[in-house]
Amino acid sequence: MTGVRRRGPDEWTRAGSVQPGDVRPSEGRRDPLGNVPDAVYRLDPQGRFAYLNAAAEKMLGQKAEELLGRAAVEAFPALRGSLAEEQYRQVLGDGRPREFQFFYEPMSRWFEVRVFPDPGGAAVLFRDIDGRRLGDEERESQLRGLSAVLEALPSPTVLVGPDGRILSANGAWSRSANEVLPEPAWPGRPGEDYLTAMTRGLGAPAHAQLSEGLRTLLTETSRSDGRTFHLDYSADSPQGTVWFHLQATRVDHEGRVVITHTDVSEQVRAREELEWKVRHDDLTGLPNRSRLLELTGEALAVAGRTDGALLMLDLDGFKTINDSLGHEIGDQLLRLVAGRLSEEIRPGDTVARLGGDQFVVLAHGCDASEAAALAFRLQTVFALPFRVGEITVPLSASIGVAVARPEVRDAHHLLGDADAAMFAAKSNGRDRVHLFSPSLREAARWRLEVATRLRGDAIDQLVVHYQPVVRLDTGQIDGVEALVRWQHPERGLLPPDTFLSVAEETGQIIPITRWLLRETTHRAAEWAAQGLRLRMSVNVSARHFSAETLVRDVRVALQQSGLPPDQLVLELTETSVAEDPTRAEDQLSVLRSFGVRVAIDDFGTGWSSLAQLFALPIGTLKIDRSLLAAAERVAVGDTGAVLAAIVGLTRTLGIRSVAEGIETPDQLRMVRAAGCDLAQGWLLGYPMPADQLLTWVREIESAGGDVCALAAAGRAVPGRG
Ligand code: C2E
Ligand code: MG
Ligand code: MG
């Protein structure tokens, strides 16, 4: 390239172009490309340097004078056969510009090269891009590293670039595409806009939250790596609803964001199941007490509305059914009842199960008479017996109804009212409906007080009164019946019916009876030691009977007191025995075997079969005073025929009969005539405290010892105990 001068590129600017190949002879003028940072040179068709600017000289490390006219491949032998040489030839061949990146071995650097054809060969622009390429490579390797990390994550994860596009996604993301995005669509490939991809599965509100969260993460200008955004969302997939926890974390200052979508369906389902369980009854699937209270609270909270009602149903005698048929059948029966009740109520109303055999219906929008009508309708649910396998069981329910009133704004309060009404329905007999009235609340309050106090100090305030039992043939005192009373500190002496039913409900009756057995056997043993042999009758509740500690409790009392077993009589009502005759027979036989006597109390008030009753090892039958009154009515023309028939039967079976509740000389005459063995009643002696009884007995003895004769003459009865 000798003879080719280095020329001033200002000539090119004049041409208004930046064609570096335009060579104009204008020696001495400044090279207009001298200050251009990119290196520029020209090669003639033979590949010899025809021009170099200052940047090119600098980059190639040689002066223009040394290079001009020399073939590039000679000056830089490493170019021979290189990509650069080949590209240059191609430009010369087809006259089209080329652009490529080129690693120049001797310098060990990357260059970006652009070759433009021109009439005298080609112009070459090149720049050192080694730094940039390294940056790119670094980024790429970083990306590869991140992708590898993403790949290792079990949750569908994407890396999103600052522009919101997916840079990389892991396998889990593609695999669970249909879950993250329930529509069977590709979840979004690298390059696609992440938010656009997410519209395919996310509901609008969740998508809006995601957009907002992501926008904030991406547009944070300050150094904000580690900033995180969370979103929980659910989506419907072909397999059902799936729940995801999305976590988007900005990972670097360039603003890339890693977004994981963790499938939390199992946890959500477990949590929902737990929440459901907390509010529902396992057995029937109905709302439980706490859910019922919630729903009732919501109903009562509707301002200006007080037209709702709670109907509490308690199945009659269900405990007996459970005990005799077994809990499995009991459970199935409860499910059947739940099903029938649920069918009977109106949509929007609720049936809940409080536990045991108690159900509650929450009825909206009804007044007292409508609620009562609903109660009667619910009773018809029990009209047909329930069938479990081969067994058919008739059931009935006692129903208490409480209607919301303006002053009742509290769910517990209303439920308490329904409970009080149900309790009243129960005590009226089975299969009844009772509407709440404020006096019932008083009764309920009393029951609560009793329950609380019996668990506390009340047991120490119990006292026993003794009522004489008299032989009808000789008029002598045969024994006493122990009757418990509560010496209440404020209310005075309370009869047993004010507290014993509560004690039965709460189970406190068992420790009470245990105490009574100890107290009375000691008392009888003490009297015997003083020469007064009185047979001691103690009332035992059905509850104690079914708890199966009776035999042990009786044995302990007898051992500790030293009372001969035949001096103790246990009184059991016919209903308590009839509830489970087999169990009764077993326990009574054991008691009999150690000499204790057993009496059936209140005979004539239950519906037990005589045959069944008399098959039990009982020694005494106590005829209830209601039967006495009935016998009296019949006896107008025919002296106590009913009574005589019963007594005749007991005689045949070797059972002693006791006539209870003798109040008048006429009644005394009648039971005597009927052939009863023993009698008890106010005419003969009131229940009285132990010391008073002792005085009374002494008085009777000194007056001849015939209570019946004294009573008939109006002289026997002491003051009421
Ligand atoms: P019960 O076992 O049939 O006791 C007889 C009840 O009739 C007693 O009432 C007694 O005071 C009452 N009475 C006695 N003579 C007459 C009379 O001539 N006319 C009338 N109208 N009543 C008379 P009380 O003491 O109120 O006991 C009622 C029931 O409470 C008892 O009936 C018994 O079932 C139960 N009870 C009493 N004490 C106990 C006890 O210690 N344990 C258990 N489990 N129950 C008891
Ligand atoms: Mg009794
Ligand atoms: Mg009785």
Side-chain angles (χ1 to χ4, degrees), residues 481 539 571 601 622 660:
E481 178 177 2
N539 294 283
E571 293 191 9
D601 201 356
K622 298 190 77 172
E660 288 190 287

Side-chain angles (χ1 to χ4, degrees), residues 38-221:
D38 286 353
V40 183
Y41 62 84
R42 251 192 95 236
L43 298 177
D44 66 12
Q46 284 72 45
R48 291 175 299 212
F49 284 104
Y51 165 78
L52 290 106
N53 73 348
E57 285 182 312
K58 194 167 167 225
M59 212 172 280
L60 296 174
Q62 296 204 35
K63 287 278 175 214
E65 290 77 13
E66 294 158 25
L67 291 174
L68 290 172
R70 285 183 69 194
V73 289
E74 271 170 32
F76 303 99
L79 289 177
R80 201 178 292 278
S82 71
L83 173 76
E85 192 195 11
E86 189 197 320
Q87 294 282 322
Y88 179 70
R89 278 190 206 293
Q90 284 181 12
V91 172
L92 290 184
D94 61 17
R96 294 209 331 253
R98 292 284 191 291
E99 183 176 331
F100 57 95
Q101 292 186 357
F102 169 63
F103 184 71
Y104 185 56
E105 286 273 359
M107 290 183 177
S108 185
R109 297 187 79 79
W110 278 93
F111 294 92
E112 183 185 78
V113 185
R114 284 182 286 164
V115 185
F116 303 93
D118 71 30
V124 180
L125 277 83
F126 67 109
R127 69 162 78 136
D128 185 336
I129 55 157
D130 203 67
R132 204 182 80 198
R133 261 199 79 109
L134 262 183
D136 284 353
E137 267 173 13
E138 206 176 297
R139 252 193 303 281
E140 253 167 46
S141 98
Q142 235 184 40
L143 190 62
R144 273 197 303 277
L146 263 173
S147 301
V149 172
L150 298 192
E151 199 53 48
L153 294 177
S155 303
T157 304
V158 288
L159 177 68
V160 171
D163 57 356
R165 284 180 194 288
I166 298 173
L167 292 172
S168 175
N170 70 355
W173 165 262
S174 332
R175 278 193 301 279
S176 68
N178 295 346
E179 290 167 25
V180 182
L181 301 164
E183 277 179 25
W186 181 251
R189 290 170 186 281
E192 189 179 344
D193 183 69
Y194 170 73
L195 284 175
T196 311
M198 288 303 281
T199 48
R200 293 204 286 269
L202 224 51
H207 194 270
Q209 282 181 49
L210 177 60
S211 307
E212 174 58 25
L214 197 60
R215 195 186 56 77
T216 315
L217 275 188
L218 290 174
T219 54
E220 287 284 347
T221 43

Side-chain angles (χ1 to χ4, degrees), residues 481-483 537-540 571-573 601-602 622 660 680:
E481 178 177 2
L483 295 160
S537 295
V538 179
N539 294 283
V540 173
E571 293 191 9
L572 290 150
T573 60
D601 201 356
D602 300 347
K622 298 190 77 172
E660 288 190 287
Q680 191 181 343

